[in-house]
Amino acid sequence: MRFRSAAVLAVALAAFAVSCSSDASDPATAASSSAGPASVSSSGSAPSASPDAPSASASLPPELVRDAFAGLQATLNDSCTPGNCAYFLGRVYDELHRLDRAMKADAKGPGHFPEPIAQIAALDKELGGDRTFENLKKHQTSLLGTRDKINTWMQGHPDDYR
């Protein structure tokens, strides 16, 4: 009887653990990880996605510009080192697009953020919809330059992120 109870308990716990695990296809769990970096395969390349493709977070309330900007600023002291270059470049890309979405959804309207939105659009055009590690590495100077220009622009507009 004791083993049977233990087996039932183990099955119940396993079922609970499976139901609580993160599933990227579920919008509710994808939202909790939307601020995180893109997943990178063992080959070091991020999955390719179109910048115009709707995301799972499209149904969530808009993120505040200040929160998205904080995520972008968190990349400022990081760099592309051999062990984390794919992660780092993918994160910068993701944080730029997180900020872009927040600015476009802001109550002040996208016209309040013309320079950053235009800079991200120019970067997207240069990347050609290819966000693989190889392409991000090829355009690393533009990617980091866009991040730095937007950081400078935002520093001149402190009311937008405080």
Side-chain angles (χ1 to χ4, degrees):
M1 183 71 167
R2 174 176 256 166
F3 292 111
R4 186 176 200 160
S5 297
V8 170
L9 180 61
V11 169
L13 288 174
F16 179 73
V18 169
S19 70
C20 291
S21 69
S22 177
D23 179 4
S25 66
D26 179 14
T29 55
S32 66
S33 64
S34 66
S39 62
V40 177
S41 69
S42 61
S43 66
S45 63
S48 181
S50 168
D52 298 327
S55 67
S57 63
S59 62
L60 298 174
E63 182 171 15
L64 297 175
V65 170
R66 71 158 194 235
D67 295 340
F69 181 54
L72 184 66
Q73 284 186 303
T75 69
L76 290 173
N77 292 326
D78 234 347
S79 62
C80 191
T81 59
N84 81 340
C85 195
Y87 166 80
F88 170 67
L89 295 179
R91 180 169 179 214
V92 171
Y93 177 91
D94 289 344
E95 295 296 347
L96 283 168
H97 288 85
R98 180 178 162 208
L99 182 60
D100 186 56
R101 288 187 305 273
M103 288 177 169
K104 289 176 178 174
D106 190 79
K108 296 175 186 174
H112 186 73
F113 305 98
E115 290 91 350
I117 290 172
Q119 290 168 348
I120 293 169
L123 175 67
D124 285 344
K125 185 176 181 180
E126 184 177 334
L127 292 174
D130 180 1
R131 61 157 299 158
T132 61
F133 169 65
E134 292 77 18
N135 198 45
L136 293 179
K137 182 69 174 154
K138 177 181 171 185
H139 297 282
Q140 179 177 346
T141 301
S142 295
L143 181 67
L144 298 180
T146 300
R147 176 201 62 186
D148 296 344
K149 288 176 193 171
I150 290 173
N151 180 56
T152 300
W153 189 91
M154 290 295 290
Q155 295 297 331
H157 298 80
D159 291 342
D160 293 323
Y161 66 91
R162 288 192 180 154

